[in-house]
Amino acid sequence: GAVVSQHPSRVICKSGTSVKIECRSLDFQATTMFWYRQFPKQSLMLMATSNEGSKATYEQGVEKDKFLINHASLTLSTLTVTSAHPEDSSFYICSAGDSSGNTIYFGEGSWLTVV
Amino acid sequence: AQSVAQPEDQVNVAEGNPLTVKCTYSVSGNPYLFWYVQYPNRGLQFLLKYITGDNLVKGSYGFEAEFNKSQTSFHLKKPSALVSDSALYFCAVRDTSGGSYIPTFGRGTSLIVHP
């Protein structure tokens, strides 16, 4: 299957700072990538859909100015958590559709801890 | 509209016994159906999918799933469970009839295989 790489796998940052998470499709071009948030032992919460070359589409209740998404190329999307607070601590997962668009593959996820 | 239900939060099975993780769905048209597995602190791994064709789909790690249109189900099965199969399993559906290209995920089922 297609490979999606996510980096960093774990990051700790101080309150008030910003942190960037990268999501790369390694062996295919992804015009669309998805960003999810997952709380412990819970399902995935779709945060936004990242479209190459255009603005991301955010789900209801997700702050656009806090969770900045950039999809500058067909293989890279980034999520920047701005002015991070402890309540932003979570597991963030990206995914991308393969060339057929029929299957979505996930990155390994990034644990964010805000202290 | 598309939706998916995983009626069991947790499934317990003894090693060597067959396992079933249930999934039912609702779509307006025809479904694309997926199963993913998530190990602790990891992203989701694609297991298998049903797009069209044979109702019995075989996937990774010896798992299979059967598409049942009349019962709108897509249960995940394995003939002989391993302790290493213990993980969180997610079913997902995408409606192919003019609906969103974004799949909807179930809330997940925790599979525990006892030695």
Side-chain angles (χ1 to χ4, degrees):
Chain A
V3 179
V4 176
S5 174
Q6 194 170 338
H7 177 80
S9 58
R10 290 182 179 272
V11 59
I12 300 173
C13 70
K14 293 183 178 180
S15 290
T17 62
S18 297
V19 61
K20 180 185 289 187
I21 301 170
E22 292 186 348
C23 181
R24 294 180 185 272
S25 55
L26 296 186
D27 52 358
F28 65 101
Q29 293 183 330
T31 55
T32 303
M33 290 184 174
F34 307 95
W35 287 96
Y36 294 84
R37 184 172 179 177
Q38 186 180 33
F39 294 98
K41 297 186 178 181
Q42 293 191 24
S43 189
L44 306 170
M45 183 190 80
L46 180 64
M47 298 174 65
T49 302
S50 168
N51 303 296
E52 189 268 334
S54 64
K55 292 183 179 180
T57 304
Y58 289 83
E59 296 299 302
Q60 192 172 6
V62 178
E63 298 177 60
K64 301 178 183 181
D65 295 332
K66 180 166 188 61
F67 298 100
L68 299 179
I69 292 174
N70 183 278
H71 194 159
S73 77
L74 287 172
T75 59
L76 174 63
S77 175
T78 61
L79 168 67
T80 301
V81 182
T82 64
S83 187
H85 290 281
E87 56 264 32
D88 298 326
S89 298
S90 189
F91 191 51
Y92 293 88
I93 313 175
C94 73
S95 67
D98 66 3
S99 57
S100 70
N102 291 335
T103 305
I104 290 179
Y105 295 92
F106 286 81
E108 284 295 308
S110 299
W111 274 108
L112 170 63
T113 302
V114 184
V115 297
Chain B
Q2 60 190 33
S3 65
V4 62
Q6 292 181 242
E8 304 153 315
D9 288 338
Q10 184 172 302
V11 170
N12 292 280
V13 64
E15 187 174 31
N17 284 359
L19 70 87
T20 299
V21 183
K22 296 180 179 177
C23 172
T24 59
Y25 66 91
S26 175
V27 294
S28 301
N30 293 316
Y32 286 176
L33 293 155
F34 310 87
W35 275 102
Y36 291 85
V37 59
Q38 184 180 33
Y39 297 100
N41 301 316
R42 304 289 294 277
L44 276 68
Q45 293 181 31
F46 171 75
L47 276 180
L48 51 81
K49 67 181 178 185
Y50 171 82
I51 301 297
T52 186
D54 195 348
N55 289 343
L56 184 63
V57 179
K58 294 187 181 297
S60 306
Y61 312 121
F63 284 94
E64 60 187 28
E66 185 166 12
F67 170 61
N68 188 316
K69 189 172 184 177
S70 63
Q71 297 185 5
T72 62
S73 66
F74 190 58
H75 301 331
L76 181 70
K77 299 183 179 183
K78 187 173 182 179
S80 179
L82 300 172
V83 173
S84 57
D85 292 330
S86 299
L88 192 57
Y89 290 81
F90 290 97
C91 181
V93 67
R94 183 162 78 87
D95 192 342
T96 62
S97 300
S100 172
Y101 59 92
I102 303 173
T104 297
F105 284 82
R107 62 181 184 178
T109 298
S110 178
L111 172 66
I112 300 175
V113 181
H114 302 276

